[in-house]
Amino acid sequence: MTLDDANTTAEKKKEHEESVAEVIRPDAFVLHEVIRKEGDEELRRKAGALFLSALAAGLTMGFSLIVPGVLKAHLPEAPWSELISGMGYATGFLIVVLGRQQLFTENTLTPILPLLHDRTVATLWRVARLWGIVLVGNIIATALVAAVLAHSDAFEPEVRKAFAEISHHASAAPFWTTTIKAVFAGWLIALMVWMLPATGSAAPFIVVLMTGLVAVCGLAHIVAGSVDTFYLVFTGEASMSDYLWHFFVPTLIGNVFGGTALVAVLNYGQVAPQVEEEKAGGRAG
């Protein structure tokens, strides 16, 4: 074999290896590292930038009431119409996720991986800071958009009636029932975040599928549900006490548990040995 033949064979082998690498799905450790690095970046962001991004996300989540409400008002009364209007709920999430805006439930996973990787008081404080800023920004914005929907004539009476019917589902269940529903919602949203680095161009489909399931299954999401419940508060059909104790507190507990315990901690556990090897190799180097 000549030198040219050997070079050609080596190049073909390299091309084949690259093709295989493109086809093989990234393993759990790769997904962990991608999300952890994203989490590190979020933890380093300025408070003002985080707050503005959280405000934008909260306002955008208004579409998760607007779109289902418009669909519900114009669809006929039929079992399948609830599925169609429920999938409209995904609109707000799709804009938020693809627009890289700060949504609280995404942050039950993303910054938790850096905390599990670097279990120090300093990292814990940075996570608490991030959570506080994003949650406050999200909730303020949901109140603003709900107030506009409740006190304006931007939508027809039939659509506003649909808004109210949809919104009653957010705070209708008892405390612990809402908490359990919120666990499943937090679980689904965090799983979506975990999956996104591996989905490539299919990311919009994954967002619509996972968040649509939250609506179709009647689960409780702290930000989208805040738009619904605040709408009832501003139309006089619910009180702030109803918002706090029938929705906000149980949903917050459930979303945080579902995202952190059922996704962040469990998925970190499966890659923890590799993480420790990487850390030990870094110290040795």
Side-chain angles (χ1 to χ4, degrees):
M1 178 182 293
T2 66
L3 182 60
D4 288 341
D5 290 337
N7 289 336
T8 301
T9 302
E11 288 175 2
K12 287 183 178 180
K13 183 178 179 182
K14 184 178 180 181
E15 289 175 2
H16 290 160
E17 290 174 350
E18 290 175 352
S19 298
V20 170
E22 289 176 0
V23 173
I24 295 175
R25 294 178 300 167
D27 62 19
F29 180 72
V30 172
L31 293 176
H32 167 273
E33 285 299 289
V34 170
I35 298 169
R36 182 178 68 82
K37 289 179 180 178
E38 288 181 359
D40 279 330
E41 291 175 3
E42 298 298 342
L43 290 174
R44 287 195 296 268
R45 289 182 69 181
K46 300 290 186 182
L50 284 172
F51 184 71
L52 289 175
S53 183
L55 277 177
L59 293 172
T60 300
M61 290 306 295
F63 288 106
S64 286
L65 175 59
I66 293 171
V67 176
V70 171
L71 290 172
K72 183 178 179 66
H74 292 91
L75 288 171
E77 289 291 336
W80 56 265
S81 65
E82 293 294 328
L83 294 176
I84 300 298
S85 60
M87 293 307 292
Y89 175 87
T91 305
F93 288 93
L94 187 63
I95 300 170
V96 166
V97 173
L98 297 186
R100 303 302 297 264
Q101 297 169 350
Q102 287 290 335
L103 192 66
F104 178 76
T105 44
E106 288 188 80
N107 284 301
T108 59
L109 171 67
T110 310
I112 297 300
L113 294 187
L115 176 61
L116 293 171
H117 189 269
D118 180 26
R119 293 183 286 274
T120 63
V121 174
T123 306
L124 177 61
W125 165 248
R126 290 162 65 201
V127 171
R129 166 186 169 273
L130 175 66
W131 276 13
I133 293 170
V134 171
L135 183 59
V136 169
N138 285 168
I139 298 306
I140 290 174
T142 58
L144 291 173
V145 72
V148 171
L149 294 177
H151 296 304
S152 74
D153 296 324
F155 296 94
E156 299 172 353
E158 294 82 3
V159 176
R160 296 200 297 274
K161 179 183 176 183
F163 289 164
E165 291 175 1
I166 293 169
S167 297
H168 277 293
H169 293 296
S171 57
F175 186 100
W176 290 112
T177 301
T178 300
T179 304
I180 294 170
K181 288 184 174 184
V183 169
F184 283 104
W187 192 0
L188 279 173
I189 298 301
L191 281 174
M192 177 193 75
V193 176
W194 180 267
M195 292 163 57
L196 282 177
T199 57
S201 60
F205 172 76
I206 296 299
V207 174
V208 171
L209 173 64
M210 300 296 277
T211 58
L213 286 174
V214 173
V216 170
C217 297
L219 306 179
H221 185 273
I222 189 68
V223 184
S226 286
V227 179
D228 300 349
T229 316
F230 275 132
Y231 182 83
L232 297 179
V233 171
F234 288 121
T235 56
E237 297 184 54
S239 66
M240 279 301 297
S241 177
D242 292 330
Y243 169 72
L244 287 173
W245 301 112
H246 292 171
F247 173 76
F248 182 83
V249 173
T251 305
L252 180 63
I253 293 170
N255 283 173
V256 169
F257 181 82
T260 57
L262 298 181
V263 180
V265 173
L266 289 180
N267 284 342
Y268 175 81
Q270 66 177 317
V271 301
Q274 288 174 271
V275 172
E276 293 303 319
E277 287 178 11
E278 290 284 326
K279 290 166 69 175
R283 287 193 294 268

